[in-house]
Amino acid sequence: DDAAGAAVEAAVAALLRELDAGVAPERAMGTAFDAALAAVSALDGPTTRHASPSCTYVSGVVTAGWLAASWVGDSRAYWVPADGEPVCLTVDHALADADGAPHSAPLTRWVGADAGHGCAPVRMFEPPGPGRLVLCSDGLSRYLTGPVDLAPVATEEPGAAARRLTQFALDAGGVDNIAVVVLPYPPDDPGEHR
């Protein structure tokens, strides 16, 4: 919890600062990830040596003409079009799963002092029409049979969609943290970054 909270606070502040300054999205998202990594790494200390605080990471930006996602670990970003099939925009950083159980494979990348350093991938996407960008932790995605399960959120109000998806994960077992963000495309205010 502490790691995820620190990562979110640092990344959001850095991302908004960079985008407001006109920095290119890929670079802005890289700076945001670096800020998240530094914030989580700073939580490490003498009392956490055998269990460094860590988390996974996903961020997204929606503008009037494009959207972008950046990630590390198994938190995911999905494009859910108003017309068409939803798709996962991210690829989990995890070892191949030998037994076929969802989300049972060990992570190969995460955010934390013991994770090493590196860049977070950035995926830019120009949607062909309206839809939703869904960002979530594996507390939700572990219960999806596939991206198509997200189709009902395509036209739903974003806040209501996020609450419904969170409740879906809780009802399915809720064995892990559940974080869900649903962003509309195009944004409600085309001049704002969401």
Side-chain angles (χ1 to χ4, degrees), residues 2-194:
D2 290 342
V8 167
E9 287 183 26
V12 167
L15 185 58
L16 291 175
R17 184 178 58 249
E18 293 284 289
L19 291 172
D20 287 344
V23 173
E26 294 95 333
R27 187 167 151 225
M29 294 186 95
T31 299
F33 174 72
D34 291 344
L37 179 59
V40 175
S41 296
L43 299 175
D44 199 33
T47 61
T48 63
R49 285 290 174 221
H50 298 292
S52 294
S54 63
C55 61
T56 60
Y57 177 87
V58 64
S59 68
V61 176
V62 176
T63 71
W66 52 266
L67 57 85
S70 180
W71 73 98
V72 168
D74 59 359
S75 287
R76 295 181 181 174
Y78 295 92
W79 166 244
V80 184
D83 183 27
E85 293 227 359
V87 295
C88 187
L89 300 175
T90 56
V91 177
D92 291 353
H93 294 116
L95 296 174
D97 188 7
D99 65 3
H103 297 279
S104 65
L107 295 177
T108 58
R109 296 204 53 207
W110 58 92
V111 181
D114 61 348
H117 297 282
C119 299
V122 175
R123 171 119 185 239
M124 300 290 295
F125 183 69
E126 293 183 30
R132 302 285 186 256
L133 177 64
V134 176
L135 308 174
C136 67
S137 66
D138 68 328
L140 170 63
S141 62
R142 72 183 318 118
Y143 297 116
L144 302 175
T145 57
V148 72
D149 288 352
L150 297 170
V153 310
T155 56
E156 221 175 328
E157 188 273 322
R163 285 187 294 278
R164 188 173 63 73
L165 291 172
T166 300
Q167 191 60 54
F168 164 79
L170 289 170
D171 292 345
V175 299
D176 203 348
N177 63 2
I178 304 163
V180 182
V181 175
V182 179
L183 299 171
Y185 178 85
D188 297 332
D189 181 349
E192 290 287 318
H193 303 296
R194 295 188 62 100

